[in-house]
Amino acid sequence: MYEIEQQLGNAMIRISKTTLVNIRCIDYAEVSFGGALMLKLKNKEQDYVSRTYLSAFKKAIGI
């Protein structure tokens, strides 16, 4: 997964052990239970940013 992430570049961000998300496809993010961050994507899908990747995610989007 790390190799794929490196090949795709900065537009993609890892949000969990098995999930990469295109930053441009994020519609909005909201705080969910226990401080988890839920992403709503433009295609109406949703997924959670795992605690392991939360700080890197925030840094990547400028929070």
Side-chain angles (χ1 to χ4, degrees):
M1 190 67 138
Y2 291 105
E3 294 169 353
I4 294 170
E5 187 178 10
Q6 289 175 353
Q7 290 176 356
L8 293 174
N10 293 335
M12 301 294 280
I13 185 74
R14 184 182 289 239
I15 62 168
S16 71
K17 208 169 167 183
T18 59
T19 308
L20 292 172
V21 173
N22 186 334
I23 293 175
R24 294 182 203 115
C25 292
I26 298 171
D27 195 18
Y28 64 92
E30 63 183 37
V31 177
S32 186
F33 62 92
L37 191 64
M38 183 175 59
L39 301 179
K40 297 279 188 164
L41 304 177
K42 292 179 181 177
N43 66 355
K44 307 301 181 202
E45 295 287 325
Q46 66 184 28
D47 207 343
Y48 291 92
V49 179
S50 73
R51 291 184 313 194
T52 305
Y53 296 97
L54 187 58
S55 63
F57 176 79
K58 286 180 177 181
K59 184 177 179 182
I61 63 170
I63 294 178

